[in-house]
Amino acid sequence: MIQEFKQFTDIEVHIVAPHEGLNTIVHSFDSEGIHYHFFKTDMPILNRHWPRVFLLDEWTKYFFNRLLVSYLVKRINPDIINLIGAENAYYSSTVLGIKNIPVLISIQGMYSIDDRFKIHGKDILRSNIERKIYSENKYFGISAPYMPELIRRDSPNPIFFWNRYPLKVLRLNDAQAIIKEYDFTYFCRITPLKGPEDALRALVLVKKYKPDVTMRMMGPVGESYLNELKDKARELGIDQNVIFSGGYVLQEDMLKEAAKSKYYVLPTLIDTIPGTIFEAIYLGLPVVSYRVGDIPRLNTGETRVLLCDRGDIASLAQNMIRLLDEPQLGVDLSRKAKAFIEEWFDNRKLALNITDKYKAVLAHYHHNEPVPAHLLYENYMNNI
């Protein structure tokens, strides 16, 4: 998104973000037309996380972060504030109490979801702050059909914009052809919400069709959960079929490893359209996933990715088997999916959509002008 903003001359962009390890409380600088302001979130001098025993941030509801951002907002004096992600309280809480400046809340993911609490448990403070943010604001950028209902619990008259971010992807050309070493790859930030156990259970069924089937699973993951997944694979009798690892320091290295597979599987349980699906499509990998969030929009007009209902392990496995059994199907799906996202999710178009939303919010906030229909969530892709 920043790379695209560097090309614009009609907006002045200030990035305000938390950063660990700073020698000063606030550090600001300019680079290539973008203004950066980082604020310190760890212990002075020691430059490490506050010990959990203190719970200072929780007790104060992130008072110090809010104080620093309030100082920066007064110094910058922006026309509009765009909060990227309301679910991470340590920085999202800094928009609480802001008055006389319109705030656009761009939802990345939502924390206050009962299905999430059933899997991960509930952090009451985090949930309360997220919902407080909703209650104080009116303008929201969303990317999944379940979001409006949850936001309306707290925000009486919200306006929902369609929201998507530019994405850094790895594009392979014919000269970079990579030898395929695995049948399937599963890559993302590995948590129970991304359905890794469903992927393993589906592989059990696929193995009955193709005993030597292989799947590469990788991504940022806690060591204990990674060990749980390895134990699960052994329990299911597929430990020789799955190659596990954590993430990579460089995103490009992980994508190059992913490109060694033929197909991408991601049975995510609660989501928007995960960026990893776009990354897989740009790598030329046919996609198998669940029909959740906005993922079904990728099939607007015709089938481009293979989907099934959440939790339907048999159908998930059947879609994986279809790709193994029908090589041309994968080729066709990959071609159609790539053409679709290059048209509807082009980085420049997405960046222009973001700045159009800023202008629409300002016009509505100050002059009560109607929001252009094409920017609203419910109208996106209506003309396909």
Side-chain angles (χ1 to χ4, degrees):
M1 188 164 123
I2 293 173
Q3 291 300 321
E4 293 297 332
F5 278 175
K6 289 177 182 179
Q7 313 303 317
F8 297 157
T9 59
D10 60 339
I11 60 170
E12 181 179 296
V13 178
H14 292 256
I15 307 295
V16 178
H19 202 300
E20 297 180 350
L22 296 178
N23 291 325
T24 57
I25 300 300
V26 172
H27 182 65
S28 299
F29 63 94
D30 299 340
S31 177
E32 299 183 71
I34 305 294
H35 308 274
Y36 298 87
H37 311 272
F38 294 102
F39 58 94
K40 186 175 182 66
T41 57
D42 50 8
M43 296 176 66
I45 302 175
L46 296 178
N47 292 332
R48 55 165 289 178
H49 288 297
W50 288 95
R52 290 291 298 172
V53 69
F54 287 131
L55 297 176
L56 184 64
D57 286 338
E58 287 86 347
W59 288 344
T60 64
K61 297 182 179 179
Y62 305 98
F63 171 78
F64 296 105
N65 290 356
R66 291 164 62 191
L67 187 67
L68 289 173
V69 172
S70 177
Y71 157 75
L72 287 169
V73 168
K74 289 178 181 177
R75 195 173 87 182
I76 297 167
N77 189 27
D79 297 303
I80 183 173
I81 293 172
N82 183 193
L83 173 67
I84 308 294
E87 78 277 25
N88 296 311
Y90 72 99
Y91 74 81
S92 63
S93 60
T94 61
V95 302
L96 291 174
I98 288 177
K99 300 183 184 301
N100 304 319
I101 302 173
V103 179
L104 172 62
I105 310 296
S106 295
I107 305 296
Q108 293 186 132
M110 299 187 74
Y111 179 74
S112 304
I113 303 176
D114 288 341
D115 282 352
R116 178 190 294 272
F117 299 151
K118 292 174 185 176
I119 297 173
H120 280 303
K122 183 177 182 179
D123 182 327
I124 295 176
L125 175 62
R126 184 178 178 188
S127 179
N128 287 347
I129 287 177
E130 182 184 59
R131 295 186 64 172
K132 179 68 171 172
I133 291 169
Y134 297 157
S135 72
E136 289 189 4
N137 290 282
K138 182 182 188 70
Y139 307 106
F140 299 89
I142 64 171
S143 53
Y146 64 83
M147 292 180 176
E149 180 182 357
L150 296 177
I151 292 172
R152 286 194 181 102
R153 294 178 303 182
D154 306 296
S155 181
N157 296 296
I159 294 175
F160 298 115
F161 294 87
W162 181 81
N163 185 68
R164 190 76 207 176
Y165 303 107
L167 181 69
K168 182 181 179 182
V169 297
L170 178 64
R171 297 172 184 264
L172 300 178
N173 55 43
D174 292 338
Q176 295 174 289
I178 294 177
I179 296 175
K180 301 297 185 179
E181 300 179 17
Y182 318 106
D183 293 308
F184 296 93
T185 185
Y186 167 107
F187 66 90
C188 61
R189 182 174 295 279
I190 303 177
T191 75
L193 288 173
K194 294 293 184 179
E197 294 176 50
D198 284 16
L200 293 178
R201 293 188 182 97
L203 194 68
V204 173
L205 301 179
V206 177
K207 183 177 179 179
K208 293 179 180 178
Y209 168 80
K210 186 176 187 291
D212 61 345
V213 65
T214 53
M215 182 164 65
R216 181 77 166 92
M217 299 189 76
M218 57 186 170
V221 59
E223 184 177 354
S224 62
Y225 188 54
L226 179 60
N227 288 332
E228 283 183 34
L229 293 175
K230 290 179 179 179
D231 290 342
K232 174 64 70 173
R234 280 191 289 271
E235 175 188 322
L236 294 172
I238 55 171
D239 51 305
Q240 299 302 309
N241 302 85
V242 187
I243 300 89
F244 290 98
S245 76
Y248 286 76
V249 174
L250 298 178
Q251 178 194 31
E252 182 177 340
D253 289 340
M254 185 176 72
L255 294 178
K256 286 180 179 178
E257 180 68 10
K260 296 177 183 178
S261 298
K262 299 174 184 176
Y263 314 107
Y264 180 55
V265 58
L266 182 71
T268 181
L269 305 178
I270 303 172
D271 229 314
T272 56
I273 306 179
T276 52
I277 285 184
F278 288 90
E279 291 169 339
I281 291 172
Y282 275 113
L283 290 175
L285 306 182
V287 172
V288 177
S289 190
Y290 280 156
R291 199 177 286 111
V292 300
D294 259 5
I295 297 175
R297 285 182 181 259
L298 295 175
N299 282 345
T300 302
E302 64 176 330
T303 299
R304 301 177 186 89
V305 295
L306 297 181
L307 304 180
C308 61
D309 292 339
R310 187 179 79 171
D312 189 345
I313 305 297
S315 293
L316 182 67
Q318 188 57 46
N319 281 335
M320 295 167 70
I321 291 172
R322 281 190 67 191
L323 290 174
L324 292 171
D325 200 37
E326 306 173 44
Q328 189 58 43
L329 172 65
V331 173
D332 294 340
L333 291 173
S334 177
R335 173 181 50 79
K336 290 189 291 186
K338 188 173 182 180
F340 183 76
I341 65 172
E342 285 181 338
E343 177 179 358
W344 288 94
F345 299 90
D346 171 77
N347 278 353
R348 177 50 56 90
K349 288 182 180 179
L350 295 179
L352 289 170
N353 174 269
I354 292 169
T355 58
D356 285 346
K357 290 199 291 271
Y358 292 168
K359 295 169 185 176
V361 168
L362 288 169
H364 185 273
Y365 182 87
H366 292 293
H367 308 294
N368 202 31
E369 293 182 13
V371 172
H374 71 278
L375 294 177
L376 297 175
Y377 174 75
E378 62 266 24
N379 293 331
Y380 188 70
M381 293 187 184
N382 276 358
N383 59 337
I384 296 180

